[in-house]
Every structure is written in structure tokens, then in C-alpha cells.
Amino acid sequence: MFRRIGTAVVRHPVWTIVAWLIAVVAIVATAPSLPSNSDESSFLPKSYESIKAADLQQKAFPSAFTPSAIVLYQRTDGGKLTAADQQDVTRITTELGNKHIDQVQKVVPGQPSKDGRFTLTLVQMDSKNAGQPKQADAAKVLREDVKQLAKGTHLDAKLGGSAAQVLDQQDSSKRGDALIGIGTFVIILVTLLIIFRAPILAVLPLILIGLVSAVANGLIAYATKLFDLQANSSISSILIVVLFGVGTDYFLFLMFRYRERLRAGDEPKQAMVNAVGRVGEAIASAAGAVIIAFLALVLSTLGFLKQMGPALAIAVAATLVAGLTLIPAVVSLIGPKVFWPSKSWQREPDNARFAALGRGVRRRPALTAAVSGLVLVALSLGTFGYKATFDLASGSMPKTKESMVVQDELQKAYSAGAAAPTDVYLSSTDGKPLDKAAFDAYAQKLGAVNGVAGARMTQVNKDGTTADFTVTLKYEASTDEAIDTVGRVRDIAHSSAPQGTEALVGGMSSIYKDINAAVNHDYRTVFPVAAVLIMVILGLLLRSVVAPWYLMASVGLGFGATLGATVWIFQEGQGHSGLMFMLPVIMYLFVVAIGTDYNILMIARLREEAREGREPREAAGMALRHAGPTVAAAGFILAATFATMMLAGNSLLTEMGFAVSFGIAVAAFVMAMFFTPSLTALIGHAAWWPGHGDRAEETVSGAAVPVVGSGPVPGDDRDTVTHDSSGRRN
């Protein structure tokens, strides 16, 4: 099949390129915009208590004042607010309300802080558009107007709240995307120049993958709108590195094989046909493992991950199609000039370093397996210290952003839990009005919960069937202490609800608690499903029952080592309270899927060497010698491109960039290079049971017989190998 694809593309390269250009223009011109949403509650299904509470609040108290933006005032000299300052605040609040800014429904004064140094203006917006670009635009206008109105006073006015966070997140995302994009381009350009010493080859993948990126983003926007998925601006940053990192990997696989066929004497166009025919299965298998792992996220209960899974799968699928069509078409038009001005493509490299590593694995496979395994186990010990954080808004932008500064100052100026109180909604189950005489006792029980600073009944709906009890926690909403406290509040709220009533607990801490439960559900669902599906791919590819088990076990160790190292770096080293809650899920899928790709490349080459009649240890050494350069080049580029996410300047992408790049480095330079080959050498022929995939083909004395197998993997130095009567390779 892959040879037929290669033949069609090489015969009609111009039409292939034209078809891609038409697709790019059509998709980009018609694709809908991809909105950004940082509202954590929108990521949860309707079945969770915090979402039920939010729905009840909308029905029972539709006109309840919930600020979407908060203006925080303090004197420029840091002193207490004077009477004149208070008058200025009142004037600014009134004038903001009179401007009738789009989305703004009400502007009211807030309470001053206990120390008299801060006061607030609260802005209510249309709740239907929470987290959407419309409110970000309104926040931008508000911020500009507030600063303009505060000119000539002694006040420093800053805008915070959810709408301001959406605005700052968008700005941060644009800056982060630019830095990540530039970093990715530079890394790929420099690395390919070093590998091939050919400027055309260094620039070509950046141009071609740029076209693929436009197509992928358009298709993702279509899918997001069609299936009503949640979107988040952080996805665009992840897409950049996935598209360019994985795309460059597939480009490398193809170009290594194309160069190999040219060295073997193939005519240039036939060399590309043979390259696609040989490497197509490797690229498709690698992409298939990654796509399946990403699609497993559809089983997640979190809207953010549900959207990310299909988005990344679409990106990899588009990259796969480009790797089999667009890249071969363009390179076949250019021909061997693509390697200009280097002459090194005309001769085989010695690969002396990888030959030495291969000899080491061949001589001491047990020691190699033990040392590399112990390194992975030692790093995995850090997983026992893992803690999760749930504040997606603050995690997706730098702490220096104005909305984050306001959030921190609010927590210090008021009480830690006052900025995001917990609400307990007590409702009648029979439609009759609630007994108000029971309110005080119920509030006292809620206020007595360990970790609660206070509780009071704040409002009753007009029918008297639902009461809102505001519970102020002692802790900031996203902390572990607050999440544990809200769990105790739920227990008391449910057990102490008067007869004929039911209670629902809402608020940010309640949302975070439900997110925690959802993530734990995903660990039990997404992880096993992704692992089983990848094992099926491995079993079908290798025709073995044994090999997939220890390959997945090695990748599992790589995941543990990556999570452990991330915990030590960020929690222990940098003092983070925890890692972003979705990081282990994302890291597992990237490390497992991509780590398996490198294992596939190495073990496929090892099987080929065994089929030439080599014993398991010698086959492992030769596999490392010949496939090592490809794995090293691909692993370095992919790890380096993911590392560029650390340039974004926010904790979410910094943690994600480090974790995924470290995991890919472990997969390429520890698992694929040492752990997997040495384990396969130790297990021997049993590794291929029941398929006996390493069985050598019989040779006729003195005759040249081609080796029969699945075909060399990328990074090969030859296609067909002959043997003389003594069994030596020619």
C-alpha cells in the first residue's frame, strides 16, 4: 500500500502540492475561530455536585450579583485610603456604570479591607458569555477606562476577576506561542543543519509543516464547533510543538531512508518511491500509536482533555498524511539537490560512537539492563511526593499579569477564602417553602466545620424554596486544605439538611474537588485503555505476545521516572505547592505513545538483525549501532521542541514542557538505547513467541539471498544484505 502511495505521489508531485495548497486556502478561509475558555466549571459534566449547584443558583437566584471583574484600589504610596480617595473611588464606580460597556450589566462599590488600605468596585457581566472572548474585550475596555479615570488621583487601580483573567490569558498565550514558535524553529533549523549540513533540508520541514499546521488548526476548529467541545488557549501552544516536533520526526525517518536508497544506487525518483514504500509502515505505526493514545482522552470526564485528545489526534493524522504525500512530492521534485552543498549523503557514516555503545550492550546486557532500570526506578521514587493544583487560570499565565496580581493582593488584603466563598444551597424537595426557623442552627453546623472561618444565610429565593448559605473557608480556594475542607462541608451539609430538603455545595473549591475526582476517574480509565490499545498495535506489528509486555513495562517505568523527576524539580526544588492537575494524564500519553515509537524502531531493527542469523546479544548490539543515530536525532529534536514550552512563562506550560521533554529524552536515550535492547537480548528467542519473528532465513551456500523481514527501519545503512558461504555480510 505504501509503495503505491509513493508511486502515485512521485508520478504526480505538482498535482499533489497543488491539492495541498487548495486544501490550506479552503480550510483556513472557512474555519471558525477557536474560542478560549479558562472557566474550570465548564470542563466538568453536569452530573457533578458543583455543576448542579451552579445550575440551581442560576434558576433560584438569576439576578444574584456575581462579579466577573473586580477593580482593586490602593494608594500609590501604600498608605491607608483617605476620605478624598474614597470619593474618587465612588466617582470612578459611578462613571464606569454610566459608560454602558458591552457585556457589563451592573457596577457597584465593594467593601473596604479591614486594614483600610484597599477597596473594590465590583462589575457584573452576562453570565451566558463567561470565559468567552466577548468578556475579554469588555475587560480590556474596563481596564483602559479605569486607568484613565484614576489619572490625577493618588489611587493605583488594577482590574482582576474572571473576565480579566481571560484577557490576560489570551495575551499571555500570544506571547507564549510566539516564543515557543521561534524556539521550535531555531532548534529544528540548527539541528537539521548539523545532521545533514544542507540548508534546503533544514528549512524545508519548517515550511511544509507550517502548511500542515494551518490545515490542522482549521480542522480542529471545525471539530470543536461540530462536537461542541471545550477549548483552551493552552492547546495552541501544545499544537505547535506536536506538529513541528512529530512532523520533523517523520521527515527524518523519510529522509534517512531516501538518502539510503540513493547510496544504494537508486534513480532519484525511484529512491523516493522505495523510501515511502519502506518507511511508510514505520511512520504509520508510530503515528497510529500516538493517535490512539490521544483519542483515549475522549474517555476523560474533563472537557479540556476531551477537546485536547481529538485536537492532537487530528494534528498527528494531518502530519502523517503530509509525511506520506506532501514531503515526498516536494523532495522528489528537488531531487538529490536537496542535500546541497553537502557531499556526505553519498557515503555511509561510520557511526563509531553507536557501534561502541552497541558493543557494550552486546557484552554486558544484564549490567546494562540493571543500571538503566535502576536509574528509572530511582527517579520514579519522586512520584510518592506528587500533589495536584487546580487553579487553571493562574497556572496558564505568569504571576506578574495584572489579574494575577489582583488575585494575590485580594487574598492578602481580605481573607484567603473570601475571594472565592463556598455556597451551600438548601432546597425544598416537595416544593413547599423552607422552615426559616431552622436556618440559624443549620448555619451554625456549617460554621463549626474544621477549616471554615464562618457561615451565614445570605438570601432566599422569591418562592422561599431555596436558601443560599455563604461559607467562608480559612484557605485559598485551590489549596489542598480548602478542597479537604469543602469535602467536610459537603458531609455536614448533606447529613444535617432538615427533613424534606436537600443540599448542594457549590463554589470554586467545590469545583476543584470535583475536578480532582474526575482526574482520578481518568487515571483509572484513560491510562489502561491507552496502554491496552498500544499493546495491541505492538503485538500486531511484532507478531509477538511477550515483547509488548516488557516494552510497555519499560515505558511505564519511563513515565514514573518522568513524573518523579518533575516532582523533585518543581515541588521540591522550586517550592511549587503541586503540579497542574492534568499534567500526569498528558505526560502519560505523550511519554507512553512517543516512547513506544522509539521502542518500535529499535526492536524492529533488532528483529531484522536476528533474522540475519545473529544471536540475540549480537543482534541487540547491531541494532543499536544502526538504528541508534535515527532514534538519537529524532529524540533530541522532539525533546528540544517540547522544551520550548518552558519559554511561555507560566507554570502549566513550564511544567508540561519539562515533563514531556524529559520523558521523551528518557524514552530515546535510556529505554530505546539501552533498557529495551538489553532486555530483549537477555530474554532471547522467547521474546518473539509465538511468532518466532527472529527466525533466520535459510541461505544457499555461495548464493546471495535477500533477507526476508518487515523491512529495515529508518536509519538503516542498507536495504538488501547478502552473505557468502562463510556467513559474512557483504
Side-chain angles (χ1 to χ4, degrees), residues 130 152 164 177 369 431:
D177 288 354

mmCIF file with all atom_site columns, all heavy atoms in Angstrom, residues 130 152 164 177 369 431:
data_model
loop_
_atom_site.group_PDB
_atom_site.id
_atom_site.type_symbol
_atom_site.label_atom_id
_atom_site.label_alt_id
_atom_site.label_comp_id
_atom_site.label_asym_id
_atom_site.label_entity_id
_atom_site.label_seq_id
_atom_site.pdbx_PDB_ins_code
_atom_site.Cartn_x
_atom_site.Cartn_y
_atom_site.Cartn_z
_atom_site.occupancy
_atom_site.B_iso_or_equiv
_atom_site.pdbx_formal_charge
_atom_site.auth_seq_id
_atom_site.auth_comp_id
_atom_site.auth_asym_id
_atom_site.auth_atom_id
_atom_site.pdbx_PDB_model_num
ATOM 1  N N   . ALA A 1 130 ? -19.633 33.813 30.005 1.00 0.00 ? 130 ALA A N   1
ATOM 2  C CA  . ALA A 1 130 ? -18.482 33.679 30.911 1.00 0.00 ? 130 ALA A CA  1
ATOM 3  C C   . ALA A 1 130 ? -17.352 32.926 30.234 1.00 0.00 ? 130 ALA A C   1
ATOM 4  O O   . ALA A 1 130 ? -17.550 31.863 29.643 1.00 0.00 ? 130 ALA A O   1
ATOM 5  C CB  . ALA A 1 130 ? -18.902 32.962 32.188 1.00 0.00 ? 130 ALA A CB  1
ATOM 6  N N   . GLY A 1 152 ? -4.676  61.503 37.794 1.00 0.00 ? 152 GLY A N   1
ATOM 7  C CA  . GLY A 1 152 ? -4.814  62.716 38.574 1.00 0.00 ? 152 GLY A CA  1
ATOM 8  C C   . GLY A 1 152 ? -5.207  62.469 40.017 1.00 0.00 ? 152 GLY A C   1
ATOM 9  O O   . GLY A 1 152 ? -5.371  63.416 40.789 1.00 0.00 ? 152 GLY A O   1
ATOM 10 N N   . ALA A 1 164 ? -11.023 39.477 33.458 1.00 0.00 ? 164 ALA A N   1
ATOM 11 C CA  . ALA A 1 164 ? -9.662  39.990 33.295 1.00 0.00 ? 164 ALA A CA  1
ATOM 12 C C   . ALA A 1 164 ? -8.670  38.845 33.124 1.00 0.00 ? 164 ALA A C   1
ATOM 13 O O   . ALA A 1 164 ? -7.677  38.964 32.395 1.00 0.00 ? 164 ALA A O   1
ATOM 14 C CB  . ALA A 1 164 ? -9.274  40.857 34.492 1.00 0.00 ? 164 ALA A CB  1
ATOM 15 N N   . ASP A 1 177 ? 3.005   31.631 22.575 1.00 0.00 ? 177 ASP A N   1
ATOM 16 C CA  . ASP A 1 177 ? 3.033   30.979 21.272 1.00 0.00 ? 177 ASP A CA  1
ATOM 17 C C   . ASP A 1 177 ? 4.172   31.515 20.412 1.00 0.00 ? 177 ASP A C   1
ATOM 18 O O   . ASP A 1 177 ? 4.835   30.759 19.690 1.00 0.00 ? 177 ASP A O   1
ATOM 19 C CB  . ASP A 1 177 ? 1.700   31.192 20.546 1.00 0.00 ? 177 ASP A CB  1
ATOM 20 C CG  . ASP A 1 177 ? 0.576   30.372 21.159 1.00 0.00 ? 177 ASP A CG  1
ATOM 21 O OD1 . ASP A 1 177 ? 0.859   29.572 22.063 1.00 0.00 ? 177 ASP A OD1 1
ATOM 22 O OD2 . ASP A 1 177 ? -0.576  30.557 20.744 1.00 0.00 ? 177 ASP A OD2 1
ATOM 23 N N   . ALA A 1 369 ? 20.943  -3.561 31.467 1.00 0.00 ? 369 ALA A N   1
ATOM 24 C CA  . ALA A 1 369 ? 19.535  -3.557 31.879 1.00 0.00 ? 369 ALA A CA  1
ATOM 25 C C   . ALA A 1 369 ? 19.395  -3.146 33.338 1.00 0.00 ? 369 ALA A C   1
ATOM 26 O O   . ALA A 1 369 ? 18.492  -2.381 33.703 1.00 0.00 ? 369 ALA A O   1
ATOM 27 C CB  . ALA A 1 369 ? 18.917  -4.931 31.652 1.00 0.00 ? 369 ALA A CB  1
ATOM 28 N N   . GLY A 1 431 ? -41.425 21.222 47.136 1.00 0.00 ? 431 GLY A N   1
ATOM 29 C CA  . GLY A 1 431 ? -41.937 22.451 46.576 1.00 0.00 ? 431 GLY A CA  1
ATOM 30 C C   . GLY A 1 431 ? -42.539 23.413 47.566 1.00 0.00 ? 431 GLY A C   1
ATOM 31 O O   . GLY A 1 431 ? -42.978 24.504 47.194 1.00 0.00 ? 431 GLY A O   1
#
